[in-house]
C-alpha cells in the first residue's frame, strides 16, 4: 500500500515466494490492517509469518541497507536487516529499534515479581456499595455499546474507557466486590453480561499480575469490547439453541473481524482493543480463528482475554449449553494450557480464581448456606463467607464466617464447605443478596491486610 511519507530508497520489492527468515519487512502491497500483522514493520522470525504473508500479499518491501552478496546487496541473508552493531541491541533505524523492542519485551509473568503488589485499600464489605454502583453503570454502558454495534454505528469508545476506569478503581481498592458482581448472570442477557464479566475478570487478573493502572484500563476496555462483532451476526445463529452447522459456524467465526471493523471506524478506539477483538479466539498452537495465528503472533492482552473469555463462557448458562462449575472450567483451562492458552498465564489465572471465587453460593457441612465474600491468595479453599440461610434453610440476619478460623482451630470443622450450589437453589439468588454491613457475628478478627496479603 503506497505511503507518500515513506522513503523507499533503501527498500527492495520482493515477491512473497522469495521471503526468508531474518528479512525486515517494511511495507506491504496492501494496508497493514487488512492483514494479521499488528506491527507495521517486523523481522521475519518464524515460517508461519512467511505463510501468512504469502496468504495475504503478492509482494512486500524489505530493507536492503548494509547487506551485500558478492558485489550486490543481498536481501536474502539470514541476518538480513541486523547489522553487527544492531546485534548487541544498539544502533539501527527507528523501525529496527521498535521491532527489536517489541520482540524483546518480557511477558507480564517474567516481570510480575519485579512490580509492586496492589495493596487492598479497604475491606470488601466497605467496597461493595461502590462496586455495585460501578457495576450498574457499566451494565448500562455495555448495553448501549452493543446496541450501537447492532446498528452498525460507531461505538462510544471514550464512554467505555471512562466506565472501565471506574471499574479499575474499584478493583484496585478491593477486587473481590466486583468479582462477586461478575457472578450475577442471566441467560437472556448472556452476550451483554459476558462482555461486562470479561472486562471485570480481566482487570482483576491484570491486578493479580501487578499491571499498572493504565494497562488495566486498556485490558478492561479490550474485555468490554471483545465481542461487539457478535451484534453483526444474524440473531437466529447467535441465539440458536442447538449445535451450529458448518455453514453457521463459518458465519459465527466472522464476529472477530466484524468487531475489528466496528472499532476501526470508531473514533478514539484503542489499538489494544482492536487487537483483542480480532484475536481473542486465536490459540497458541495456531488452530484458532479467524486467522490461525501462532503463539508468537499474539499479544499479552489477547492471551489474557482468551483465557477469561473461555472461563466466563464455560461458567455461564448459554442457549446451547448449561454452565459448568468453576472447578470444572478451571480444569479445562489447565487441560488446554500451552495448546489453546498461554501456559504461564493459565496457571496464574487458576491461582487467582481458586475453587470458590467471590459470589460462589455454597452449602456448609452443618447445613448453613452462604456466599463467598473473599479469600486469601494462598488459601482459596478457606474463604470468608456471608451466611444467608441457617441449617433449616431459613433466612438469617447478615452474618459472616471466615473459614480460615477452622484451620486455626477457633471454629468447628462443621463450617467447612460441603458443596457448591447453583444460583437459585434454596431460593438464594446472588442478585438479591447485597452485602449490607461490615463483618459481624463469627467472622474472623484477622485484619484484612493479613487476611488478603495479595489483595486478589
Amino acid at each position: 500500500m503506497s505511503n507518500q511519507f515513506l522513503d523507499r530508497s533503501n527498500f527492495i520489492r520482493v515477491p512473497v515466494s522469495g521471503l526468508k527468515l531474518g528479512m525486515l519487512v517494511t511495507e506491504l502491497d496492501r494496508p497493514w490492517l487488512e492483514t494479521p500483522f499488528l506491527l507495521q514493520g517486523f523481522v521475519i522470525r518464524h515460517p508461519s509469518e512467511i505463510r501468512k504473508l504469502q496468504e495475504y500479499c503478492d509482494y512486500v518491501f524489505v530493507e536492503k541497507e548494509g547487506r551485500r552478496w558478492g558485489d550486490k546487496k543481498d536481501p536474502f541473508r539470514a541476518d538480513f536487516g541486523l547489522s553487527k552493531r544492531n546485534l548487541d541491541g544498539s544502533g539501527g533505524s527507528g523501525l529496527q529499534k521498535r521491532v527489536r523492542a517489541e520482540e524483546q519485551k518480557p511477558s507480564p509473568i517474567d516481570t510480575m515479581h519485579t512490580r509492586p503488589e496492589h495493596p487492598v485499600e479497604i475491606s470488601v464489605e466497605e467496597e461493595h456499595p461502590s462496586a455495585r454502583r460501578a457495576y450498574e453503570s457499566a451494565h448500562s454502558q455495555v448495553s448501549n455499546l452493543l446496541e450501537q454495534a447492532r446498528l452498525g454505528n460507531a461505538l462510544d469508545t471514550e464512554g467505555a474507557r471512562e466506565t472501565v476506569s471506574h471499574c479499575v478503581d474499584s478493583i484496585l481498592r478491593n477486587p473481590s466486590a466486583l468479582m462477586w458482581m461478575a457472578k450475577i448472570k442471566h441467560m437472556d442477557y448472556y452476550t451483554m453480561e459476558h462482555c461486562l464479566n470479561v472486562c471485570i475478570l480481566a482487570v482483576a487478573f491484570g491486578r493479580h499480575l501487578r499491571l499498572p493502572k493504565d494497562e488495566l484500563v486498556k485490558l478492561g476496555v479490550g474485555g468490554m469490547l471483545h465481542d461487539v462483532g457478535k451484534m453483526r451476526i444474524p440473531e437466529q445463529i447467535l441465539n440458536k439453541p442447538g449445535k451450529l452447522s458448518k455453514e453457521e459456524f463459518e458465519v459465527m467465526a466472522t464476529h472477530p473481524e466484524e468487531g475489528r471493523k466496528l472499532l476501526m471506524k470508531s473514533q478514539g478506539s484503542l489499538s489494544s482493543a482492536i487487537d483483542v477483538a480480532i484475536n481473542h479466539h486465536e490459540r497458541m498452537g495456531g488452530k484458532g480463528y479467524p486467522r490461525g495465528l501462532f503463539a508468537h503472533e499474539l499479544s499479552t492482552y489477547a492471551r489474557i482475554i482468551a483465557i477469561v473469555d473461555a472461563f466466563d463462557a464455560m461458567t455461564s448458562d448459554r442457549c446451547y449449553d448449561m454452565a459448568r462449575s468453576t472447578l470444572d472450567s478451571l480444569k479445562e483451562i489447565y487441560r488446554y494450557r500451552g495448546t489453546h492458552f498461554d501456559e504461564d498465564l493459565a496457571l496464574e489465572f487458576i491461582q487467582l480464581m481458586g475453587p470458590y471465587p467471590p459470589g460462589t453460593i455454597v452449602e456448609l457441612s452443618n447445613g448453613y448456606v452462604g456466599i463467598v465474600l473473599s479469600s486469601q491468595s494462598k488459601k482459596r479453599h478457606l474463604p470468608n463467607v456471608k451466611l444467608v440461610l441457617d441449617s433449616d434453610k431459613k433466612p438469617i440476619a447478615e452474618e459472616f464466617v471466615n473459614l480460615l478460623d477452622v484451620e486455626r482451630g477457633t471454629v468447628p470443622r462443621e463450617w467447612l464447605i460441603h458443596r457448591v450450589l447453583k444460583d437459585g437453589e434454596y431460593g438464594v439468588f446472588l442478585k438479591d443478596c447485597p452485602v449490607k454491613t461490615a463483618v459481624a457475628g463469627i467472622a474472623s478478627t484477622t485484619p484484612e491486610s493479613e487476611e488478603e496479603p495479595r489483595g486478589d
Side-chain angles (χ1 to χ4, degrees):
M1 181 68 177
S2 179
N3 184 340
Q4 60 179 322
F5 301 106
L6 197 61
D7 179 10
R8 293 189 183 78
S9 62
N10 200 38
F11 301 162
I12 184 172
R13 175 171 158 167
V14 177
V16 291
S17 59
L19 292 176
K20 294 187 177 181
L21 299 181
M23 289 185 172
L24 176 58
V25 178
T26 59
E27 193 179 15
L28 309 180
D29 62 357
R30 66 202 59 233
W32 287 91
L33 290 171
E34 292 182 4
T35 73
F37 304 101
L38 298 175
L39 279 180
Q40 298 189 15
F42 64 97
V43 176
I44 300 175
R45 299 294 192 194
H46 196 277
S48 66
E49 292 170 334
I50 295 178
R51 291 196 296 270
K52 285 297 176 186
L53 284 168
Q54 292 171 340
E55 179 181 344
Y56 283 86
C57 304
D58 296 318
Y59 63 87
V60 300
F61 290 92
V62 299
E63 187 172 346
K64 63 182 180 180
E65 181 181 9
R67 296 298 142 270
R68 294 195 175 276
W69 186 13
D71 292 331
K72 299 180 180 180
K73 292 183 177 180
D74 172 21
F76 303 114
R77 283 181 49 181
D79 60 349
F80 181 74
L82 298 175
S83 65
K84 290 182 179 179
R85 69 191 186 105
N86 291 156
L87 295 176
D88 64 1
S90 61
S93 67
L95 176 60
Q96 289 173 332
K97 290 177 180 178
R98 179 164 59 81
V99 170
R100 188 164 57 250
E102 183 66 25
E103 291 180 336
Q104 295 176 352
K105 185 178 180 181
S107 76
I109 301 296
D110 294 334
T111 60
M112 177 177 173
H113 295 290
T114 67
R115 297 185 294 271
E117 295 182 38
H118 294 290
V120 172
E121 299 176 15
I122 64 176
S123 72
V124 64
E125 297 83 10
E126 292 175 298
E127 181 56 32
H128 255 266
S130 297
R132 185 169 288 275
R133 289 192 294 271
Y135 179 83
E136 291 173 350
S137 174
H139 202 280
S140 176
Q141 177 68 31
V142 174
S143 181
N144 291 335
L145 285 167
L146 293 187
E147 179 61 16
Q148 293 165 3
R150 187 184 68 81
L151 297 173
N153 297 334
L155 308 181
D156 180 14
T157 55
E158 187 55 44
R161 198 174 321 190
E162 182 178 352
T163 298
V164 169
S165 183
H166 293 314
C167 292
V168 169
D169 289 339
S170 174
I171 288 171
L172 285 175
R173 289 191 295 267
N174 194 312
S176 295
L178 263 180
M179 288 178 72
W180 165 301
M181 309 295 169
K183 291 283 286 184
I184 300 174
K185 301 180 180 184
H186 307 84
M187 188 169 67
D188 291 343
Y189 302 102
Y190 168 71
T191 301
M192 187 268 289
E193 290 181 343
H194 175 64
C195 289
L196 177 52
N197 295 341
V198 169
C199 165
I200 292 170
L201 294 178
V203 173
F205 188 23
R207 183 189 190 280
H208 171 84
L209 297 173
R210 307 183 189 181
L211 300 180
K213 181 178 178 179
D214 62 325
E215 290 195 43
L216 295 180
V217 172
K218 290 180 182 178
L219 188 56
V221 171
M224 182 173 284
L225 300 174
H226 80 286
D227 259 352
V228 292
K230 282 188 175 179
M231 295 298 96
R232 307 301 296 161
I233 302 300
E235 188 172 348
Q236 63 270 25
I237 294 179
L238 184 63
N239 297 321
K240 182 178 177 179
K243 183 179 179 180
L244 297 179
S245 67
K246 180 181 178 182
E247 293 75 18
E248 290 169 332
F249 179 79
E250 289 175 353
V251 174
M252 178 65 82
T254 65
H255 81 265
E257 174 61 25
E258 292 296 331
R260 185 190 75 90
K261 290 177 183 177
L262 284 166
L263 290 170
M264 285 298 300
K265 71 178 183 180
S266 302
Q267 188 174 4
S269 289
L270 292 170
S271 59
S272 53
I274 298 172
D275 164 36
V276 165
I278 195 167
N279 289 332
H280 66 279
H281 281 294
E282 299 290 353
R283 296 294 179 251
M284 303 296 285
K287 294 185 178 180
Y289 67 87
R291 297 175 293 180
L293 303 187
F294 286 83
H296 69 283
E297 299 171 283
L298 302 176
S299 71
T300 296
Y301 293 132
R303 295 178 186 211
I304 289 175
I305 298 301
I307 293 170
V308 178
D309 172 51
F311 174 79
D312 186 71
M314 286 189 286
T315 55
S316 302
D317 285 330
R318 292 163 285 174
C319 58
Y320 58 90
D321 199 9
M322 299 302 292
R324 302 186 191 188
S325 70
T326 293
L327 190 56
D328 285 344
S329 300
L330 292 178
K331 286 179 179 178
E332 287 296 291
I333 298 293
Y334 183 81
R335 176 185 177 191
Y336 289 106
R337 73 195 192 286
T339 54
H340 285 26
F341 310 113
D342 181 291
E343 181 163 8
D344 293 334
L345 288 173
L347 295 175
E348 285 296 331
F349 183 74
I350 291 169
Q351 181 180 336
L352 165 70
M353 300 305 296
Y356 312 117
T360 302
I361 303 172
V362 295
E363 184 175 20
L364 309 182
S365 296
N366 58 10
Y368 276 70
V369 173
I371 305 173
V372 173
L373 195 62
S374 61
S375 63
Q376 188 184 69
S377 61
K378 302 298 184 183
K379 304 280 187 177
R380 295 297 190 199
H381 63 294
L382 296 172
N384 188 19
V385 177
K386 170 189 169 174
L387 302 176
V388 293
L389 301 179
D390 64 18
S391 57
D392 295 322
K393 305 302 185 284
K394 294 181 179 179
I396 57 176
E398 191 167 80
E399 197 171 344
F400 300 83
V401 59
N402 189 339
L403 301 190
L404 278 173
D405 288 340
V406 175
E407 187 176 79
R408 298 183 183 113
T410 58
V411 168
R413 293 184 62 83
E414 65 184 25
W415 290 96
L416 290 175
I417 293 173
H418 172 59
R419 66 187 182 110
V420 173
L421 303 178
K422 292 184 178 180
D423 194 44
E425 280 195 64
Y426 297 124
V428 177
F429 292 91
L430 188 60
K431 66 180 177 62
D432 298 329
C433 298
V435 176
K436 301 174 183 176
T437 65
V439 174
I442 57 176
S444 170
T445 57
T446 303
E448 183 149 0
S449 59
E450 295 179 20
E451 181 181 338
E452 297 183 344
R454 289 179 62 105
D456 53 20

